[in-house]
Amino acid sequence: MPETVTSATGKFNAAELSFDDFKKIVINDYRIGFESRQASLIGRREVLTGKAKFGIFGDGKEVAQLAMAKAFRAGDWRAGYYRDQTFMFATGMSNLNEFFAQLYAYPDIEKDPASAGRQMNCHFATRYVNADGTWANQVETMNCAADISTTGGHMPRLLGLAYASKLYRQNTELEYLKQFSVNGNEVAFGTIGNGSTSEGLFFETFNAAGVLQVPMAISIWDDAYAISVPAKLQTTKEDISEILKGFQRENGTNGYEIFKVRGWDYVALCETYERAIDICRRDHVPVLIHVTEMTQPQGHSTSGSHERYKSKERLAWENEHDCLVQMRKWMIESAISTGEEMDELEATAKKYVRECQREAWNGLGDEIRVELKQVSELIEQLAEDSENGDKLKEIVSELSAVVDPGRRDAFAAGRKALRVTVKEKLIGKQALINWLNSETQKNSERFNSKLFTGTLQSPLNIPVIKAEYDEDARLIDGREILNACFDSNFERDKSIVAFGEDVGAIGDVNQGFAGLQSKYSDLRISDTGIREATIVGQGVGLAMRGLRPIAEIQYLDYLLYSITVLSDDLASLSYRTRGGQKAPVIVRTRGHRLEGIWHSGSPLGFILNSMRGIHICVPRDMTQAAGMYNTLLRSDEPALVIECLNGYRLKERLPSNVGEFTVPLGKAEILREGSDMTVVSYGSTLRIVLEAAEELEKMGIHIEVVDPQTLHPFDTDNVCGNSLKKTSKLLIVDEDVTGGGSAYILQKILETQGGYYLLDAQPKTLSAKEHRPPYGTDGDYFSKPSLDDVVEAVYNMMNEANPSKYPDLY
């Protein structure tokens, strides 16, 4: 695993230092800040000259981040946004070489440990998953959760990172997890721009942290703009800390400690951060540090210049109040350094930053030049024997003329050469094909790997244990099966926690956790406010810190409120860190048939398309759901489990190993064998299909019913395709809208499993109407697939195949 962190800097307290020591600290801080500024300036030029594709930097924010870094210790966490490069350099969690490697999209975890070239620049992360899939010791390192580009999207995860410290401090049963916490002393540092405080995720997170009283320190970098939009169009009173004053804690209340400090005042910043973080760490009180009067010398990003929207007066003020200009001035006035010494320091820093930039650029370029040489030689060899030799030589010539070539240029040249010689039988062609195949494997690892972490702890590697039943096994409500499953797992693993709306005191709206809060405490099973985004974010942060959270979203329809966290953050986490980070959170919810527009959702198409990187489990009953929970709670990848709303009071037999049996992910199951047609369904419609099968059998039609059980992954053993070898006909039944989940399943069976070649009739889908289901039983009947719909859909397909045997129904 690449080393990305060093030991923490000490606290800044001038009273405890000699003047010489004090000078050394200040001068070193300025050096880091100045190097960071040079990296921003050079980075922008590299983008504008075409060497890098996009640049967004932290210039103007350097001094505040130097002060924040002094309060950051080993074991602490950062969840910030893309302005924090100086902080990352000051803490040692990143460096200039890695900064430029990421700018050039260097696809190597040794060069860019944060993302292996997958993220835009200034998107930081540290690697806490070892090569074998085990956890690194987080208390010995400084830790950074992987950034995302949505500027407020990291806030919900920040809540979870801080909440973990609270659990580690207050729940003595967690003392054995020593690699994740030291008595909950860790602070979660969050950063956000003043413009992004307008987002709902900020306010939802801010309120939740005030309720929970967790060690979360939010720094707001306030430069009075959000790209071109000024604060007066963003924030009431143009001052975010002013409008948040109601959150200031008072005697006998929860809330925040709120601080306000100017972003160019080095001494005040150091003192403010020392005081604020001491309160946060010691007392577990969230703090807000509003850093005002910041600047952004290069504008928002390389996509535009701030001269277009800032007045001359504002630009002049920014030049004067540039934090590094002010710090330099203070250092000279305070006799910490002289102008000549500062000039020499700056000249040395400029040279060093340029050397780091060149090292990153040349390192990537050298690798690419080797590949260019290889493919050029193979094409030239092909040209010697080809009747299209001139065209092949032209390909090589065009390749050599490319300015700043990339891997795609080498690869595209090789593929074009094969097209040019497609009708020729040439000895040298196989060598070119072999090279392309070899490079395809390498590039697949570079650019397409680690959607899931894929460790030995993956749910796909959990041993299958069958459910066992005593001869006199009780027939009980499905909700009681879940309750027994959760009870067993909470007893087995002290790191499991569950939370959500109504989960604690009443045991969730369908009683899956009934009685468990009183048994395991409100630290492990707890209620939350109505705040879906931060429920999921709370789970993500906890999972990053070694706990096993079950984050409950009360109804599937309300998953929409957490989609940014699920899609932007959780689903992409493993991919965007190339396996360097993981968050095995389980999101539990319930959906499908019930009553009404907002309590009968099955938006599987939306879920499937936005949550690649999360396992999607669609159990048909509570026993299957329990087996999936047993699997997931022993593994290390995230999952969404959608229970059937109308199944909690249906009777099921209680397995004797209810907390131990496992249901494997990706394994479809044939629930009823048949020879006439394959019908694939899941969740609540599966029961309707099975009922329809009984009536169809009376009509002489025998359908084979397949339950995929999970949609991510889907039927890894090709059960559906193999069924088609027998039946040659396919119907997919689901209660998503037309073209939703059914379209996804159709593609998997026909294309991935090759089912198209096994059909002797047009495949069909039976799904819900385009609108959401209205309220009432009749609304459900006329909106979602019913038993009559399934019977007639199957019959009509048989009618098309053999009208004489199956005459028209209508």
Side-chain angles (χ1 to χ4, degrees), residues 525-544:
I525 302 172
S526 56
D527 289 310
T528 70
I530 301 175
R531 50 176 182 82
E532 286 80 8
T534 49
I535 288 172
V536 174
Q538 192 171 322
V540 174
L542 290 175
M544 285 179 161

Side-chain angles (χ1 to χ4, degrees), residues 401-443:
V402 176
V403 178
D404 298 331
R407 285 189 163 91
R408 73 166 187 173
D409 298 295
F411 209 76
R415 297 170 79 176
K416 186 175 182 180
L418 289 182
R419 294 197 297 273
V420 167
T421 59
V422 66
K423 295 182 179 180
E424 298 183 75
K425 294 183 178 180
L426 302 171
I427 296 175
K429 190 184 290 189
Q430 189 59 49
L432 178 57
I433 292 171
N434 291 342
W435 184 87
L436 286 169
N437 288 337
S438 174
E439 292 304 309
T440 294
Q441 292 180 352
K442 294 177 185 177
N443 288 323

Side-chain angles (χ1 to χ4, degrees), residues 319-362:
N319 286 333
E320 180 183 355
H321 289 81
D322 184 299
C323 62
L324 290 179
V325 170
Q326 290 291 323
M327 185 175 177
R328 189 185 201 274
K329 179 182 177 182
W330 168 76
M331 290 170 67
I332 294 172
E333 290 176 349
S334 303
I336 292 171
S337 188
T338 65
E340 292 77 12
E341 290 171 339
M342 298 296 284
D343 290 343
E344 183 179 354
L345 181 153
E346 291 171 356
T348 302
K350 287 181 180 179
K351 181 180 178 182
Y352 174 64
V353 175
R354 176 59 78 179
E355 289 172 353
C356 292
Q357 173 265 319
R358 286 173 178 158
E359 182 180 338
W361 175 251
N362 291 336

